[in-house]
Each structure stands twice: as C-alpha cells, then as structure tokens.
C-alpha cells in the first residue's frame, strides 16, 4: 500500500481526532502485527473492506492501513490426516472460505515436509492436481528421511500453524499461521514469524544496512536494469530469496524460497517476514546452522558450491566503458605500468565491439587489438571481454554469422506463439533477438560462437552483462498483449509496477516455459553455458562475471554489484552487497571501484581504491563520458598509495586464494561480517562498515569524505595492527576505538590465533606466484595460532578434483611452529620457498631460534618493541617446517 506522506499524516491526525474514519473500535491490536491486505497501490477503505480486511490509519511509517484481521476470511485449514512419507510427512489443506484476494484460488493444496539432512529441511506447498512451474535447480537429497534431525516440523495450535523448531533450544524458527496462506494461480503468499530482528540477506536490491530494518520494508525480487537513476530499494539484476536470521541465543538459521517468479518480501517489526510471489510453488528450504558459517556451508551444499576462481582473477582488474580507442587504452595501460601498480586483468567493455555487435571487434577504433592483447598476455596479464545477450537481426544476410547460425538453429526466445522470435532493441544496430539459454541448442550455438571468436580476439574470461535480460523497450515489438501473464492481478512492488519494462513480455516463450516463470533465470541459465564455453575455448579454468544471478549462480560465475555511482554512500553500500553475496554463495564479488556513473573525485576514488583493494573481486570500472579514474591518472601520489595498498592485497593473495579453496570445498564465505565470527556479541550484528577476509583479517576503510580516522569496533579477541604488528590495546576490546587513517592508509588488523600465508608481491600474479612465501603468525592470548595454505598452478581445470594441489596446515603452540603437508600433489610447488616468518604477540624477546633442529643465526631474525619477531629463512615450501622459539 503506497500513499504520499502528506496524506498519511493528515489521515493519522483525523483518526486521532476521534475516529472520524469510523474505525476506532477496530484499531485495537499492535500495529507491528499488521500484515498488508492491499499490497498493490491504490488502497482505500472501501477497497480494503470489500476484501474483508481491516482499515485503520496509523502514523507508524510504512505500516499498512489495510490489514488482515484476526478473523480474516482467508487462508487454509487442515483437510485430512497427516500422512507419513519416506522422507517426512504430508497433509492436505483446504481453503477456509470462498472469498478470494486475486482470483483463481487453488484448493486443496498439499503441505509436504522432507527431512532432507540433519540440518536441512524442505517444505513445499503445491497443487496436487496440476503441475506448476518449478525452478530446475537440482538439489540432491537422500530418498529417506534424515535420522536425528536437528529440527522438528509440526502443525501446532490446533493445527492452525505450521511450525519448525530447533530441537536443541526449542527456538521456533518458522511459524506460519495457515490463515495467512494464499495459493492462487497467480498469487501465493505466506507469512512467518522470525525469532529475532537480526535478519540478513534477500537480493538483489541496494541495501542501506547489512542487518535489515524490519520497519515494514518491502523488497521486490525481479531482475531489471537501472541506469543513471536512483530508486531506493528497487529490484536490481539478480534474485536471491534467501535470508539468514540470528536467534536470541546466537544460533543462526537460513531460509530459501526456491521460486523464480516476480516476487516481493515484506519485513515487519513483529518480527515477521511475508513472501508474495506470482507463480510457481512455495518451495522452502531451512538450514539449521547453528553458526552463520554453517548456514552458508549448508546452503551452498544444497545449491552448489562456489567455483574455484583462477589465481589471476584475484589480481587487480581495470576496465572502463568508453576508452573509445586503442590509443586511449594503451595510454591507460602504460601509465599503470609506469607507476608499477599491481595489475593483472584488462577488461574490454562494449566499445571494443564493432557497432556493439557480439563476437566482433572494432577494426577502426581498435585496430590492432588482437596483437595488443597478445602483447599484454606476454607481460603475464589476462583479458576479459564483454558479451551481451542480444544479437542484431538486421545485418545483411550472410554477413553476421552469430545471427545467421542462431536463426538456423532456432535458439532465440520466441513470442507467445512459440515460433517467431521476440524482437527488441538494445545496443546493436537495428533490432535484436535474445538467445534463450534455457535451450540446450542455444548453449551449443553460444559455445561455437565463443570458440570461433577466440581465434579472432584472444580472451581469458567472459563478462556477461545486460542479462536480466535488458531491452531498451517495454516488451518486444509490437508491445505486450493484454492477458493474464502480461497483466497479472498482482504485480510485486517492482519498479514502475511493470513486468515488461526494459525487458521482454512475460508471455514470451523460452525452452523451460513462459518468460513469466523464467525471467529471473535468464542470467543464471547463461552462466553455466558461458562457463563451459570459456573453459573449452581457453583450456583453462573459466572466468565468468555475470550481472544477473540467481540461486546457485556462484557455481559457475562471479558478480559485480552493477552500475553504482561515484558517491560516498555507494562505497559504503558496496560492503553490504559484498557481505550479502557471500551469503548467497557468490563470494567472487566486488563493486566498481571509484564508482561507475558520475565523475569521481580524487579523495573518493583514493579511498575507494583502498577499500576495493580488499574486494574479493577487485576492479576499477567507469562509464562512458566520465572523467578517467584509473589509479594512475591522478598523479604520482595517488598512484603510490594505490600501489602500496594493492601490494598488500597481492602479498595476502595466498591467504585469499586459500579462503576461496575453503569456499569451493566447504562452502565458507570469503569476505564475512564481524557478526559471522563474533555472533554472540550483539554489537557486531549491525556492523557493516568493516569486514573480514575469512576469520582473521579485518578491513576498516574510511567511508567519509574528509575523515582522517575511523572508529573501529574490536570484538573480543587479540588484534594486531597490520602495519606495525602492535597489539591493539586491551581497552579497545568490545569498544569502538578511533584509529588514525591519513589519506595514505586504510586501517587493517590481524586477529590473534591465526596464521596467514603471504607471498612477496609483484606487478602481476604471474610474477608474484614465483616469489618466496612468508607466514604471518598472529598469536592469541594463549600464544597459539593456526592456518593453512592451498596452492596449485592457479588456472588448470579441476586441480582439486584431480588432486593436483598442495595443502599445508600450520600450527603454532608453546613456541613451536609446525607445518603439516596434507597434500603434496602439485610439482610446481617444489621450486617455491619460504623466506620470511613473522610472529606477532610474543611475550618476550627470544634468545634462540631453531629451524628443523638447527639454530638460526642472530642476524637472520629481528625483534621489535612491538613484540614482533621476523625470521629470514630459506626453506622449501614442500618440506615440513619445525621452528622453535626459545
Ligand atoms: C522458437 O522458435 C523456433 C522457430 O522459429 C523453434 O525452432 C524453437 O524451438 C522455438 N523455441 C521455443 C523455446 O519455443
Ligand atoms: C564529468 O567530467 C567530464 C570530463 O571532464 C565532463 O565532460 C562531464 O560533463 C562531467 N560530468 C558531470 C556530470 O559533471
Ligand atoms: C543501481 C545500482 O546498480 N546500484 C549499485 C551501486 O553500487 C552499490 C555498491 O557500490 C550497489 O550496492 C548498488 O546495487
């Protein structure tokens, strides 16, 4: 329900003046319990009462004025006995009354519960009499109910509520009144109480905080393109109907609604969550945790673990839309090299193409591009090309093979007739058709095109943009027909309340079904074929960067947060987005450093380079027409600071790469919030201005113009200043401390108890990978620490599956560092060495140090007053180390 604030206040005043709305007696009941009964615009008392709901003004911001009453004439009730199944149980539900909110109600519906694993429960509400659309994401589950599940699922309160409990604590994780359930052909709604207001996740929208506001906030989930325009909370490129909730006792659980229809979700202060979707079924998965990391591990176990990124892709990336010519590109690259700024990857945005056509390059403005790319590759760099999911149909027949072949193979999204291609307008000249990647034939065509293009212009990775899919029109030509799919009775609160705006008509036909059901899957369905095509074309580990994502996209691709703006608040929000995509199982994530739209400023860009140096995916990218913003364009001082910060990134890449290994194998997050590690400290729940790499490395960037210090919260742990090795004063613990951050510095801290592998940095990872390794051993209060290192050749396919890797585990205890080699399957590690061991937090100056039993000479170690010991050694990586400190 939307109305202007003015009207809202006026009505609230009138209501206060003695119930002139005549509803005073119905205004009892806590406002925070209200569930919107008129979620579409245009609510009025008349419309509200006509649907059997209560109308009552309130001055509580965003609270619905039209809401379901206690005796709401809606919902379902038990329609039979609970029937046991191999995997759990099932029960029939019948509609309680004949009144309908949006027509075509379905009754009976089945509520079916599957005890999939000890920590994963699935429950579904579906129509037993007709097959409705279901997301084709395969989630493995055993054929029988899990033993000793950590949850209970039951019908409670006289079978009026569906409830899920955590067995160990009795906490109710899910509690849905059946009277609040709607299941009609094009409107499905369910509400659940959540056990706390520490709720995270849902995407993709731009969020103002990582921990959600529960003040009647509604987010729409439906992939759309936005440009040059800011609409708060608007639905953006991807769809992730997943949230995590931290319970009062710090246990955490996660919930996925596996549904790809346009939908929205409302968070209310009760606290409760209401899901509304306009198709498919209600297919929920609940993950029991109990730690936030466990939740993400269990979630990615179900939807697919994140892919293992190539090592080079963890280097710094540079991009811009609108270099305009190869000369400008070369000048940019040259100045990056002039200042020796670490830099691995150059991206080519749409202006490299001939007239914006996929699989071509501009032979005039980018004459010599293939040769230039080879030159960069010889320097150890890599390049990524953009491809868009629209193909012009208006070139001379026989002159543009991508269209001709695709047309011959019938790979386009079709109109509702199922045989003529949907034609829209996008970047290429003339009009365009849209490849339907849900069709296996399209994957064949796409792979063929990618393979052929590799011979024209070499590339190491593919960036897939505009795959919401974006279209510059509202629907394809000649506009969308009036029918149920194009004009559903309820349109979720998406931008302009139009499903077809800037995309295709919902009644378009894709291989998997109507675009109405598959719209959210477009980018997702393009990601796996592009991954396989890139892998085939390069013979190496695939790099795919996708703008549109869905549940499970992380298995084949990474993501960037889209077309942000060069503004300080966008810089802050990028941290939120990065933390959220780590929850979504897409840890390869970053935002456009320095901002995409608008001109950046020196200070903003500098601070953003510092923060962006610690994005899992670190890329500076800019839009056409804006001032240049690569880190070499602002002069020597800026370049020097960017270089220094990126060199810190590069030196810690072995640690970051090991985190990605953990993510790929166990499903851990890479960048994580303080809340993940210090869940029982309530203060961490709301922190999104600082974040961690894994458990051990804290990044606390400057996010305000003019600031020369940062207020950093230090949870209970030992912390060391990364730069000096000084232990953070104990008075700072469980407190905010003001930490100096002059323009040339981003505050960084290491957590005691951890060992971080490092490697001397270089101008590319190709070079740095050959450098000696070090270990930073940050001791905790007991003088202990542990860590690990994963290493392989960095870009071969399936090195983990093929056991072609090196894995070492480090433990430090009682003055003794030991490495244990768990896997020694990568021969390339044989020539690598450790040359530096740093120990932070020693109690006293050591009087002797031995390495594998032999004394290290005094000039090979130094001890600083900060209690930091540095040892210079030369020891092979593939031999076990034993260092003793006396
Ligand atoms: C689209 O139409 C073409 C014929 O133009 C046909 O070959 C193809 O199978 C159709 N695809 C879908 C998903 O309807
Ligand atoms: C950004 O800078 C460019 C180049 O200096 C200038 O042409 C353009 O007008 C600026 N844009 C804005 C929005 O100020
Ligand atoms: C419209 C848009 O894409 N906004 C993005 C701008 O950048 C922030 C972070 O930098 C993202 O969170 C937004 O989604």
């Amino acid at each position: 329900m939307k109305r202007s604030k003015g009207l809202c206040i006026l009505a609230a005043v009138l209501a206060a003046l003695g119930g002139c709305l005549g509803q005073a007696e119905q205004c009892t009941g806590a406002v925070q319990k209200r569930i919107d009964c008129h979620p579409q615009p245009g609510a009025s008392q008349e419309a509200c009462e006509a649907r059997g709901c209560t109308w009552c003004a309130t001055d509580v911001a965003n609270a619905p004025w039209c809401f379901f009453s206690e005796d709401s004439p809606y919902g379902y009730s038990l329609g039979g006995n609970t029937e046991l199944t191999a995997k759990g149980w099932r029960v029939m539900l019948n509609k309680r009354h004949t009144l309908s909110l949006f027509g075509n109600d379905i009754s009976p519906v089945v509520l079916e519960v599957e005890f999939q694993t000890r920590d994963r429960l699935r429950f579904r509400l579906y129509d037993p009499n007709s097959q409705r659309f279901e997301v084709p994401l395969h989630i493995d589950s055993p054929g029988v109910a899990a033993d000793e599940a950590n949850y209970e699922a039951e019908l409670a309160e006289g079978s009026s509520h569906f409830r899920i409990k955590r067995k160990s604590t009795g906490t109710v994780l899910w509690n849905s009144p059946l009277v609040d359930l709607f299941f009609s052909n094009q409107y499905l709604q369910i509400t659940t109480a959540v056990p706390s207001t520490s709720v995270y996740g849902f995407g993709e929208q731009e969020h103002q905080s990582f921990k959600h506001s529960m003040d009647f906030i509604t987010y729409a989930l439906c992939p759309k393109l936005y440009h040059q325009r800011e609409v708060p909370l608007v639905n953006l490129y991807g769809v992730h109907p997943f949230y995590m909730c931290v319970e009062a006792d710090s246990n955490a659980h996660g919930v996925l609604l596996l549904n790809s229809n346009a939908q929205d979700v409302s968070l209310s202060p009760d606290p409760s969550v209401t899901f509304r979707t306009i198709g498919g079924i209600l297919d929920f998965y609940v993950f029991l945790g109990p730690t936030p990391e466990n939740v993400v591990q269990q979630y990615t176990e179900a939807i697919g673990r994140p892919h293992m990124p190539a090592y080079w892709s963890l280097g710094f990336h540079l991009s811009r839309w609108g270099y305009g010519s190869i000369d400008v590109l070369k000048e940019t690259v040259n100045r990056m090299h002039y200042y020796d700024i670490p830099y691995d990857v150059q991206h080519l945005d749409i202006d490299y193409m001939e007239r914006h056509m996929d699989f071509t390059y501009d032979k005039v403005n980018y004459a010599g591009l293939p040769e230039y790319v080879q030159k960069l590759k010889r320097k150890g760099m890599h390049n990524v090309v953009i491809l868009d999911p629209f193909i012009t149909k208006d070139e001379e027949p026989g002159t543009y093979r991508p269209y001709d072949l695709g047309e011959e193979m019938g790979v386009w999204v079709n109109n509702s007739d199922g045989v003529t291609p949907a034609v829209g307008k996008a970047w290429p000249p003339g009009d365009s058709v849209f490849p339907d990647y849900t069709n296996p034939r399209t994957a064949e065509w796409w792979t063929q095109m990618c393979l052929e293009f590799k011979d024209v212009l070499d590339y190491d990775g593919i960036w897939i943009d505009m795959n919401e899919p974006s279209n510059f029109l509202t629907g394809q030509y000649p506009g969308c027909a009036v029918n149920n799919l194009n004009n559903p009775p309820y349109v979720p609160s998406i931008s302009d309340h139009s499903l077809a705006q800037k995309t295709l008509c919902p009644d378009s036909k894709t291989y998997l079904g109507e675009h109405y059901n598959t719209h959210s899957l477009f980018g997702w369905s393009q990601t796996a074929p592009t991954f396989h095509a890139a892998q085939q074309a390069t013979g190496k580990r695939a790099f795919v960067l996708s703008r549109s994502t869905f549940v499970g996209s992380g298995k084949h691709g990474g993501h960037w947060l889209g077309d942000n703006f060069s503004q300080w608040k966008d810089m802050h929000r990028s941290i939120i987005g990065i933390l959220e995509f780590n929850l979504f199982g897409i840890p390869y994530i970053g935002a456009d450093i320095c901002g995409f739209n608008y001109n950046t400023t020196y200070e903003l860009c500098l601070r953003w380079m510092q923060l962006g140096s610690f994005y899992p995916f670190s890329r500076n990218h800019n839009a056409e027409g804006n001032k240049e913003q690569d880190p070499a364009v602002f002069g020597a001082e800026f370049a020097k600071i960017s270089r220094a910060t990126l060199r810190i990134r590069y030196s810690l890449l072995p640690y970051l790469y090991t985190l990605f290994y953990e993510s790929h194998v166990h499903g851990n997050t890479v960048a994580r919030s303080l809340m993940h590690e210090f869940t029982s400290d309530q203060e961490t729940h709301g922190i999104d201005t600082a974040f961690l790499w894994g458990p051990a490395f804290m990044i606390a960037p400057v996010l305000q113009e003019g600031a020369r210090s940062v207020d950093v919260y230090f949870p209970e742990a030992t912390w060391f200043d990364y730069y000096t090795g000084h232990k953070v004063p104990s008075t700072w613990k469980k407190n905010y401390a003001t930490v100096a951050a002059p323009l040339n510095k981003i505050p960084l801290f290491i957590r005691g108890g951890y060992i971080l592998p490092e490697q001397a940095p270089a101008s590319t990872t190709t070079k740095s990978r050959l450098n000696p390794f070090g270990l930073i051993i940050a001791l905790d209060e007991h003088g202990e620490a542990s860590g690990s290192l994963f290493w392989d050749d960095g870009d071969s396919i399936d090195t983990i599956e093929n056991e072609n890797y090196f894995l070492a585990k480090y433990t430090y205890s009682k003055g003794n560092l030991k490495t244990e080699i768990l896997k020694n399957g990568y021969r390339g590690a044989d020539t690598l060495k450790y040359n530096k061991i740093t120990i932070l937090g020693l109690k006293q100056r050591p009087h002797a140090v031995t390495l594998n039993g032999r004394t290290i000479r005094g000039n090979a170690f130094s001890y600083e007053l900060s209690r930091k010991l540095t040892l210079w050694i030369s020891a092979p990586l593939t031999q076990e180390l034993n260092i003793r400190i006396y």
Side-chain angles (χ1 to χ4, degrees):
M1 191 194 59
K2 300 279 172 324
R3 78 165 40 71
S4 79
K5 201 172 177 191
L7 181 61
C8 179
I9 290 167
L10 174 67
V13 167
L14 291 178
L17 285 175
C20 77
L21 296 173
Q23 301 291 314
E25 58 289 325
Q26 290 184 6
C27 277
T28 53
V31 172
Q32 77 263 20
K33 291 203 180 298
R34 293 183 181 184
I35 307 291
D36 201 343
C37 175
H38 201 293
Q40 74 272 51
S44 66
Q45 182 168 357
E46 203 185 354
C48 180
E49 287 168 357
R51 53 176 64 181
C53 287
T54 307
W55 175 265
C56 189
T58 171
D59 55 3
V60 174
N62 302 320
W65 289 14
C66 178
F67 53 94
F68 297 103
S69 51
E70 298 264 299
D71 50 359
S72 147
Y74 294 105
Y76 288 76
S77 59
L78 208 59
N81 293 330
T82 307
E83 180 194 333
L84 291 180
T85 64
K87 296 182 177 189
W89 54 263
R90 154 166 72 208
V91 71
M92 213 65 111
L93 305 177
N94 290 328
K95 252 203 100 190
R96 294 168 65 227
H97 294 274
T98 50
L99 207 58
S100 177
L101 212 47
F102 293 107
N104 295 312
D105 289 346
I106 293 165
S107 185
V109 296
V110 172
L111 165 62
E112 184 163 320
V113 179
E114 294 176 17
F115 293 55
Q116 292 201 331
T117 73
R118 288 183 64 177
D119 296 307
R120 187 209 304 159
L121 166 90
R122 178 191 196 190
F123 70 92
R124 287 192 300 155
L125 286 143
Y126 62 88
D127 177 355
N129 298 312
S130 122
Q131 179 63 40
R132 296 172 58 82
F133 184 79
E134 296 191 31
V135 176
L137 176 76
H138 177 74
I139 296 183
D140 261 337
S141 84
V144 292
D147 278 341
E148 296 175 42
N150 287 319
Y151 47 81
E152 274 166 13
E154 61 188 10
L155 288 168
E157 294 184 37
S159 294
S160 66
H161 285 65
F162 174 62
R163 191 174 280 177
I164 300 166
K165 263 192 209 164
R166 181 185 295 287
K167 258 191 203 162
S168 61
T169 59
T171 305
V172 177
L173 308 182
W174 182 279
N175 194 13
S176 277
L178 298 182
V179 293
D180 288 342
L181 175 67
F182 291 78
F183 203 115
S184 62
N185 189 29
Q186 290 181 284
Y187 188 82
L188 296 84
Q189 177 186 311
I190 190 166
T191 295
T192 180
V194 285
S196 92
T197 55
S198 288
V199 174
Y200 305 85
F202 293 120
E204 182 175 13
Q205 308 87 22
E206 184 178 357
H207 295 147
Q208 291 160 16
S209 56
F210 180 46
K211 176 174 179 282
H212 288 298
S213 161
M214 302 292 283
D215 295 333
F216 298 107
I217 302 297
T218 296
Y219 298 127
L221 289 77
C222 179
K224 284 294 183 80
L225 149 97
Y226 280 90
H227 258 304
Q228 315 292 350
R229 195 155 68 99
E230 290 178 276
V231 187
L233 306 185
V234 77
N235 51 297
L236 293 170
Y237 324 97
V239 169
H240 297 276
F242 174 78
Y243 71 86
M244 182 164 84
C245 175
V246 181
E247 300 145 44
D249 55 12
S250 305
N251 286 318
H253 66 278
V255 175
L256 166 70
L257 168 55
L258 187 58
N259 179 289
S260 62
N261 287 88
Q263 55 191 285
D264 57 31
V265 56
S266 296
L267 312 182
S268 306
D270 199 20
S272 71
V273 175
T274 298
F275 296 86
R276 302 180 200 90
T277 180
I278 62 172
I281 66 165
L282 294 174
D283 192 0
F284 285 95
Y285 290 81
V286 181
F287 306 91
L288 269 274
T291 68
E293 278 300 292
N294 292 155
V295 170
V296 179
Q297 288 160 348
Q298 291 155 8
Y299 181 46
T300 55
E301 179 182 40
I303 64 169
R305 299 283 198 216
H307 68 286
M308 184 68 198
Y311 199 85
W312 59 262
S313 71
L314 303 186
F316 178 66
H317 301 232
L318 188 62
S319 181
R320 93 157 289 170
W321 168 32
Y323 286 115
S325 74
I326 194 164
D327 296 332
V328 176
L329 171 63
K330 284 178 181 172
E331 273 167 41
T332 312
V333 173
N334 289 346
R335 64 181 174 247
M336 290 291 290
H337 288 153
Y338 173 80
Y339 288 116
D340 190 27
I341 298 173
Y343 165 38
D344 267 78
V345 190
Q346 180 60 50
H347 286 235
L348 297 172
D349 202 339
I350 52 172
D351 52 304
Y352 83 85
M353 297 177 188
E354 181 190 332
R355 294 177 294 136
H356 296 149
M357 297 193 301
D358 275 355
F359 307 113
T360 67
Y361 78 93
D362 181 339
K363 296 193 177 65
V364 179
N365 294 309
Y366 283 88
L369 185 60
E371 295 76 18
Y372 186 59
V373 162
Q374 289 310 325
K375 187 176 161 191
L376 294 182
K377 287 176 75 86
R378 282 193 298 274
K379 283 182 190 287
M381 292 180 62
H382 290 79
N383 83 311
V384 169
V385 293
I386 198 168
L387 291 174
D388 282 331
F390 24 73
I391 299 288
T392 179
K393 59 176 253 304
D394 289 334
E395 292 296 291
E396 282 295 307
T399 63
Y400 186 47
R401 176 163 155 83
Y403 176 73
D404 296 338
L405 182 64
E407 177 67 11
E408 188 187 314
M409 293 174 71
V411 303
W412 317 127
V413 174
N414 288 331
N415 289 314
S416 57
D417 63 10
V419 287
T420 57
V423 176
K425 176 85 196 107
W427 291 119
D431 294 324
S432 288
V433 290
F434 299 80
D436 168 19
Y437 296 95
T438 68
N439 187 338
R441 251 184 304 163
T442 311
E444 261 176 61
W445 162 82
W446 183 246
T447 305
Q448 183 61 26
M449 289 298 102
C450 290
L451 288 174
E452 290 179 15
F453 189 50
K454 180 81 161 54
D455 295 332
V456 176
L457 180 67
D458 201 359
Y459 58 83
D460 301 291
I462 301 176
W463 168 18
I464 47 178
D465 195 19
M466 305 289 278
N467 50 359
E468 292 71 28
S470 292
N471 167 20
F472 295 170
L473 315 171
T474 294
Q476 63 265 35
Y477 296 112
C480 306
V482 175
N483 59 38
N484 285 347
L485 294 177
N486 295 336
N487 313 88
Y490 177 69
V491 176
S493 28
I494 59 180
S495 57
D496 297 353
H497 290 270
S498 155
L499 294 172
Q501 184 223 13
K502 294 208 166 178
T503 187
L504 301 175
C505 301
D507 66 358
S508 306
K509 288 277 194 320
T510 63
Y511 180 83
L512 280 182
E514 271 120 5
H515 188 66
Y516 182 86
N517 294 316
T518 63
H519 174 70
S520 302
L521 302 177
F522 192 98
W524 173 82
S525 65
Q526 188 190 10
T527 306
T530 307
F531 179 92
H532 295 299
Q535 205 167 45
Q536 260 193 62
T538 62
K540 299 282 187 189
R541 209 173 294 172
F543 174 98
V544 179
L545 183 67
S546 181
R547 193 165 76 181
S548 184
T549 60
F550 185 76
V551 176
S553 278
K555 187 172 178 185
H556 295 113
H559 177 58
W560 85 105
L561 293 172
D563 298 350
N564 64 3
F565 295 79
S566 299
Q567 303 181 128
W568 289 86
K569 68 173 164 60
D570 287 55
M571 182 161 68
H572 170 221
R573 290 176 190 173
S574 71
I575 301 176
I576 298 162
I578 280 164
L579 295 177
E580 290 177 340
F581 273 88
N582 272 271
L583 298 184
F584 301 152
I586 309 182
Y588 190 80
I589 174 79
D592 289 347
I593 296 171
C594 298
F596 177 72
N597 295 306
Y598 298 174
N599 286 327
T600 196
T601 65
Y602 182 100
E603 187 176 339
L604 173 64
C605 192
L606 184 59
R607 291 307 199 184
W608 212 328
M609 276 302 302
Q610 291 173 331
L611 165 60
S613 293
F614 298 98
Y615 288 159
F617 163 51
S618 179
R619 181 183 73 165
N620 177 316
H621 179 47
N622 194 5
E624 190 175 50
N626 296 332
K627 280 194 230 162
E628 293 176 306
Q629 63 178 36
D630 58 86
V633 80
F634 296 92
E637 183 62 17
F638 191 112
K640 184 177 154 198
I641 297 167
S642 300
R643 175 176 186 272
T645 318
L646 281 170
R647 283 174 67 86
I648 298 174
R649 175 190 183 86
Y650 274 53
S651 70
L652 289 172
L653 285 183
Y655 175 61
L656 184 66
Y657 194 52
T658 304
L659 293 173
F660 271 103
Y661 161 77
E662 300 278 338
S663 161
H664 176 66
V665 174
H666 305 296
N668 299 30
T669 58
V670 171
R672 66 184 71 143
S673 71
L674 291 170
M675 175 274 287
H676 268 227
E677 292 292 319
F678 303 94
T679 318
S680 61
D681 179 349
Q682 287 281 333
E683 187 60 35
T684 64
H685 291 206
I687 294 180
D688 52 31
T689 48
F691 63 102
L692 300 163
W693 270 10
F697 186 70
M698 176 160 52
I699 297 113
V702 174
L703 299 169
Q704 269 146 19
E705 184 160 24
R708 296 294 180 268
S709 65
V710 186
D711 290 339
V712 183
Y713 183 76
F714 292 96
E716 183 69 53
T718 304
W719 294 97
F720 298 93
D721 182 313
Y722 171 79
Y723 298 90
T724 63
H726 275 286
K727 196 187 270 190
V728 158
S730 56
T731 52
W732 289 11
K733 275 186 226 166
K734 301 207 77 176
N735 263 316
Y736 287 87
T738 302
V739 174
L743 260 190
N744 64 2
K745 182 179 163 189
I746 174 171
L748 302 170
F749 302 92
I750 299 180
R751 179 178 173 192
Y754 292 90
I755 298 179
L756 281 63
E758 59 172 352
Q759 191 172 30
S763 52
T764 61
T765 58
T766 308
K767 293 186 181 129
S768 70
R769 285 178 48 83
L770 305 172
N771 284 347
F773 282 85
L775 295 176
I776 304 174
I777 302 171
L779 302 180
D780 65 11
E781 291 309 305
H782 311 290
E784 295 182 351
S786 62
S788 58
L789 168 67
F790 170 83
W791 199 253
D792 63 2
D793 73 4
D795 65 359
S796 287
I797 298 163
D798 290 343
T799 55
I800 298 165
E801 293 72 4
N802 299 330
E803 304 193 33
N804 293 326
Y805 65 93
F806 170 82
L807 182 65
K809 184 172 183 306
Y810 307 108
T811 34
Y812 186 99
S813 173
K814 301 189 176 75
N816 187 196
L817 170 75
K818 277 191 189 149
T819 64
E820 192 188 334
I821 295 177
L822 302 179
K823 171 67 70 187
N824 196 359
Y826 171 50
R827 296 287 49 90
D830 293 342
T831 49
L832 295 169
K833 285 190 159 55
Y834 295 101
N835 78 338
K836 187 181 168 193
I837 310 288
T838 311
I839 307 179
L840 307 178
L842 282 177
K843 291 267 187 298
Q844 65 210 19
R845 175 187 293 273
H847 53 268
V849 179
T850 62
L851 165 63
N852 297 341
R854 282 203 306 268
T855 302
I856 296 186
R857 275 178 293 118
N859 60 2
F861 62 87
S862 67
Y863 184 74
E864 290 164 40
L865 286 177
S866 62
R867 299 170 185 276
K868 165 172 160 180
L869 175 74
T870 310
L871 307 175
W872 296 97
I873 63 170
S874 178
L877 188 70
T878 48
Q879 274 178 27
E880 297 194 332
L881 283 183
N882 189 336
I883 295 178
R884 271 182 188 283
I885 314 289
Y886 296 93

